[in-house]
Amino acid sequence: MTKTEGKVNLTTNQRFAIARGREQGRTLMQLAEQFKVDRSTFGKFLKRWRAQNGQPGKRRHSRAPVTNHQTDRNIVRASRSNPRLSAPEVLDQVSPRGSPVASVRTIRRRLNDAGMFGKRPVKKPYISDRNRAARVAWARAHLNWTQSQWERVL
């Protein structure tokens, strides 16, 4: 029997072939020789195969998310309702007292996913009384303009 070096990842076709071969009564040693894989690999695989009811298992490549869809919506809603809030302040708003939902970094990631990239809105200067009066005078002067007069503007 030839033994492979290192870890072996079985393809989906190989997994189904191994399961069929085992159902047909072939031994682990025969299957190991056919696929050139160590016998212990088959034992572990078949144990998982039976536990998953003959379905190939999904591989999970990352941790489970700390927040769910509803919490993500609440994070975005809190930030949109008051755009001047920082990530720690958003965290305080969405998490119950004493038990934070997630870290500040997670809050930032959720906001980034929603297209909100840590930019605070610009403070606009107030319109002065003089400028306000000039705007109102201009608007009143042009209130009754016709369509043809507006077409000559640009």
Side-chain angles (χ1 to χ4, degrees), residues 32-49:
E33 286 177 10
Q34 179 183 350
F35 290 98
K36 295 180 177 59
V37 179
D38 191 42
R39 193 176 63 187
S40 65
T41 303
F42 289 112
K44 292 174 190 173
F45 161 71
L46 288 170
K47 189 174 183 181
R48 265 194 324 271
W49 186 265

Side-chain angles (χ1 to χ4, degrees), residues 65-81:
V66 176
T67 59
N68 58 20
H69 181 68
Q70 184 65 41
T71 307
D72 294 346
R73 286 181 56 201
N74 289 339
I75 290 168
V76 172
R77 186 178 297 139
S79 184
R80 284 202 174 126
S81 67

Side-chain angles (χ1 to χ4, degrees), residues 41-146:
T41 303
F42 289 112
K44 292 174 190 173
F45 161 71
L46 288 170
K47 189 174 183 181
R48 265 194 324 271
W49 186 265
R50 281 187 226 108
Q52 296 166 351
N53 296 323
Q55 297 295 321
K58 280 186 175 178
R59 288 201 172 183
R60 200 161 162 170
H61 297 290
S62 62
R63 283 180 55 179
V66 176
T67 59
N68 58 20
H69 181 68
Q70 184 65 41
T71 307
D72 294 346
R73 286 181 56 201
N74 289 339
I75 290 168
V76 172
R77 186 178 297 139
S79 184
R80 284 202 174 126
S81 67
N82 186 356
R84 297 197 182 283
L85 290 179
S86 64
E89 292 167 340
V90 171
L91 176 62
D92 289 341
Q93 269 197 352
V94 297
S95 64
R97 293 281 169 232
S99 62
V101 173
S103 68
V104 174
R105 181 71 187 116
T106 300
I107 299 296
R108 276 195 214 111
R109 271 192 224 107
R110 297 304 181 263
L111 291 172
N112 288 351
D113 291 345
M116 303 170 80
F117 295 98
K119 294 179 175 108
R120 290 184 176 226
V122 176
K123 286 188 178 181
K124 293 185 178 179
Y126 292 113
I127 299 172
S128 66
D129 291 336
R130 183 176 163 193
N131 193 354
R132 181 177 287 131
R135 282 181 170 200
V136 170
W138 185 91
R140 284 194 179 135
H142 296 84
L143 184 64
N144 296 318
W145 270 29
T146 63

